Amino acid sequence: LEAKLQEQHSIQQQLDATSKLISTLQRRLDETQSTLQARDALVGNLQQKLSQSESQFRQVQDKLAKQVTQNVQLNRNVYILSGYPSCRDAPDQTGPQKLRVGSQTVQGYCEQDDYGGGWLVIQRRSSGGLGAESFNRSWADYRNGFGSLDGDHWWGLEKVHLLTKGHVHELLVEVTDGFWGIQWAKWNRFQLGSEMKRYEIVLLEGCSGNGTCYGLEKGEPFNTFDRSSSESCEEMVREGGWWLKSFCRSNLNAIIRSSGQESNMIWHHIQKLSSRIMIRMKIDNL
């Protein structure tokens, strides 16, 4: 009997322990469920806040997009009124555009089709003929510019100086003749000095192209018939202003003579029929 009582007591202890364990597990399960419910509520709250944040972000994006559009339009309006900083910023259409040079707004001819576009034409000469623009001009004319942008013209040394002194430009010279056709030379770095320096070529580096690079040289000042420092090239200067020092190798502004006569419009000693000189602002300014 005593053995049975002990066995029953042992069984009762096991039942009590099992019941206690079940109670503990139930309590932990309840706590876990409560924690999960709290987490579900937190996740739901976070999802709601995330949805609100996404909505606010989209609203901010829309506002920024509208602001950017307004700023672009404002810049366009400013450019239309005050001029583009360069032909790189102008519309992709070859022709005259308003350009900002210092504090002034001036007209310039932008070449947007050839040589990658973004070029400002600072000189253009056709093959001459009756009614052709005369380039045998005074110092004042070459300083200020003359001619028609849609035809033969010289844009003006002072404007070129103001553009290139604030930002390094590229320079491209294009010439044509009856034998070689179209030839061009491009310099990666070009700057023109002030009138006090006689619009000297103060920077001219990195030449490439299918034509000669020896038509211009760094350090050459500009000369006209009424303001010349090049005695050795005096005869050439009398026919049109150009950058000349001691070597009379080029003058694309000299007189273009009629057929059968020797022309003084030359590029590195070779007679030419037409020309264009263009500059383009460098993006990296290096």
Side-chain angles (χ1 to χ4, degrees), residues 157 160-169 171 187-206 216-222 243 245:
L157 292 165
V160 175
H161 160 64
L162 291 175
L163 278 185
T164 60
K165 81 168 185 176
H167 205 292
V168 176
H169 279 61
L171 172 71
W187 289 265
N188 290 329
R189 291 165 55 81
F190 167 75
Q191 283 183 314
L192 203 63
S194 66
E195 184 175 16
M196 186 177 296
K197 289 189 174 183
R198 303 182 61 84
Y199 297 117
E200 174 187 323
I201 299 175
V202 295
L203 180 62
L204 192 69
E205 297 176 353
L216 289 173
E217 185 177 336
K218 178 182 175 181
E220 290 180 321
F222 201 82
W243 292 279
K245 196 171 185 180

Side-chain angles (χ1 to χ4, degrees), residues 51-64:
S51 178
Q52 292 174 350
S53 297
E54 288 177 345
S55 177
Q56 292 173 352
F57 180 71
R58 284 193 295 269
Q59 291 176 2
V60 171
Q61 274 188 320
D62 292 341
K63 288 182 180 179
L64 286 175

Side-chain angles (χ1 to χ4, degrees), residues 28-41:
R28 290 180 179 177
L29 179 61
D30 293 340
E31 291 174 352
T32 301
Q33 288 178 337
S34 178
T35 301
L36 289 176
Q37 289 175 352
R39 288 182 179 179
D40 288 342

Side-chain angles (χ1 to χ4, degrees), residues 16-219:
D16 292 342
T18 301
S19 178
K20 187 176 181 180
L21 178 60
I22 291 173
S23 297
T24 301
L25 292 175
Q26 184 64 48
R27 186 175 65 255
R28 290 180 179 177
L29 179 61
D30 293 340
E31 291 174 352
T32 301
Q33 288 178 337
S34 178
T35 301
L36 289 176
Q37 289 175 352
R39 288 182 179 179
D40 288 342
L42 179 61
V43 169
N45 187 34
L46 290 175
Q47 286 179 334
Q48 184 179 6
K49 289 183 177 180
L50 179 61
S51 178
Q52 292 174 350
S53 297
E54 288 177 345
S55 177
Q56 292 173 352
F57 180 71
R58 284 193 295 269
Q59 291 176 2
V60 171
Q61 274 188 320
D62 292 341
K63 288 182 180 179
L64 286 175
K66 290 179 181 178
Q67 187 64 49
V68 169
T69 301
Q70 291 174 356
N71 289 343
V72 169
Q73 186 60 47
L74 179 61
N75 286 337
R76 287 176 180 171
N77 293 338
V78 170
Y79 288 157
I80 290 172
L81 293 174
S82 64
Y84 296 95
S86 74
C87 285
R88 282 189 182 275
D89 305 290
D92 295 333
Q93 295 176 334
T94 295
Q97 296 289 348
K98 282 185 179 180
L99 299 174
R100 188 168 66 249
V101 180
S103 60
Q104 296 182 330
T105 299
V106 300
Q107 288 284 331
Y109 192 94
C110 292
E111 173 55 64
Q112 305 290 29
D113 298 317
D114 299 337
Y115 307 104
W119 294 96
L120 168 63
V121 179
I122 63 173
Q123 186 256 32
R124 174 163 46 200
R125 293 196 76 188
S126 61
S127 56
L130 186 64
E133 187 74 39
S134 172
F135 277 68
N136 190 18
R137 301 290 193 114
S138 66
W139 178 269
D141 285 340
Y142 274 101
R143 178 187 61 212
N144 301 325
F146 56 85
S148 171
L149 291 179
D150 290 316
D152 290 359
H153 70 276
W154 179 265
W155 197 55
L157 292 165
E158 183 64 20
K159 293 190 283 287
V160 175
H161 160 64
L162 291 175
L163 278 185
T164 60
K165 81 168 185 176
H167 205 292
V168 176
H169 279 61
E170 299 169 280
L171 172 71
L172 190 144
V173 176
E174 178 192 81
V175 293
T176 60
D177 60 43
F179 183 78
W180 296 103
I182 298 177
Q183 291 185 300
W184 59 274
K186 181 174 77 71
W187 289 265
N188 290 329
R189 291 165 55 81
F190 167 75
Q191 283 183 314
L192 203 63
S194 66
E195 184 175 16
M196 186 177 296
K197 289 189 174 183
R198 303 182 61 84
Y199 297 117
E200 174 187 323
I201 299 175
V202 295
L203 180 62
L204 192 69
E205 297 176 353
C207 185
S208 61
N210 68 350
T212 180
C213 294
Y214 299 106
L216 289 173
E217 185 177 336
K218 178 182 175 181

